[in-house]
Amino acid sequence: MTQPPIGGAAGSPEGPTHPEPPAGAAPAPGTPPAPGYPPYPQPVAPKKRRGLLIASIVLGAAILLCGGGGTAAFLTLSQAEDGQGAKEPTVAVDGFLTAVYKDQDPRAAATFVCSASRDDKKIAAKVAEVRKYAGQYQNARFRWTTPKVDNQTGDRASVSTRVTMTTADEKVADQELRFTVVRKTGWWVCEVA
C-alpha cells in the first residue's frame, strides 16, 4: 500500500493547496490571496487638511491681534484728557480749590482733575466732607494763599498753598496742601496731599 507524502494532499506533489474563494466572495481576513491574484488593496490614508489648519491659525492670530489692539486703543483713549486743562500749574490748583471750597461743586472740581485720578465718587465725597465740615460752623468761609510752584520738571509740577477757614465767631483753621500737577493738553491736578 502506498502512503501519501507527509504534508501533501493525495495526488498532489507540491504540497497543500488553498481552496479558491468562490467568485465575488471576499477572502477571509488574514489569509493570503490565492496565487495569480493581485494583492489586496491597502486602505487609502485620509488627506491631511493642512490648508484648513493654517487658515485657522492665521484667523485666530488675526482675531487676537485685532482684539488686543482694540483694547489698547480703548484704554489709551479713555485716559485722554477731555478739555484743554489750565495754562499754568497754579491756575489748575486755584480752579480746583475754588470748585471744592467756595462753589462746593464736584462737577466743576472734576474739570481740573487729570483722567488718571478722576473718580467722580471720590470727588463728590470730598466736596460733601468740606460742606459738612463748614456746616458745623456759623458762616464758614474758605480762602487760600496764592498757589506757589515748589518744583517743576518737564510736564510735572509740585504746587503748595495754605487753605484757611474762618467763621463768623472768629474761629480760624489752617491746612497746608501740596498738589501734584501734570501737563498733557494743559495742566491738571492729579494728587492732593
Side-chain angles (χ1 to χ4, degrees):
M1 192 168 162
T2 56
Q3 295 211 354
I6 298 179
S12 172
E14 298 105 32
T17 60
H18 296 286
E20 290 185 25
T31 59
Y37 288 96
Y40 301 123
Q42 294 295 324
V44 178
K47 291 183 180 179
K48 293 184 179 180
R49 297 184 178 183
R50 289 186 188 190
L52 181 60
L53 176 65
I54 291 171
S56 297
I57 291 172
V58 169
L59 180 63
I63 289 172
L64 182 66
L65 289 175
C66 289
T71 301
F74 171 77
L75 291 175
T76 300
L77 292 175
S78 70
Q79 293 296 318
E81 304 298 344
D82 356 335
Q84 294 182 354
K87 293 181 181 183
E88 297 293 327
T90 55
V91 174
V93 169
D94 193 54
F96 178 78
L97 291 170
T98 299
V100 171
Y101 289 99
K102 284 192 177 176
D103 301 338
Q104 296 179 357
D105 183 355
R107 288 184 189 177
T111 63
F112 294 97
V113 177
C114 69
S115 62
S117 298
R118 192 176 303 137
D119 183 338
D120 292 336
K121 289 181 182 177
K122 286 184 179 180
I123 294 171
K126 181 61 180 174
V127 170
E129 178 185 321
V130 168
R131 190 177 294 136
K132 180 180 176 186
Y133 180 71
Q136 296 174 357
Y137 301 95
Q138 183 182 8
N139 197 17
R141 292 179 314 273
F142 294 94
R143 61 183 164 80
W144 48 90
T145 59
T146 302
K148 179 180 107 182
V149 175
D150 297 323
N151 185 14
Q152 183 173 345
T153 55
D155 292 340
R156 191 175 191 88
S158 177
V159 179
S160 62
T161 187
R162 177 184 308 156
V163 176
T164 304
M165 182 189 79
T166 56
T167 64
D169 57 350
E170 299 182 14
K171 292 183 181 174
V172 178
D174 288 330
Q175 182 180 16
E176 295 286 335
L177 294 177
R178 181 173 303 275
F179 297 83
T180 301
V181 188
V182 296
R183 180 173 44 194
K184 292 185 180 179
T185 56
W187 288 95
W188 303 86
V189 173
C190 277
E191 186 178 319
V192 182

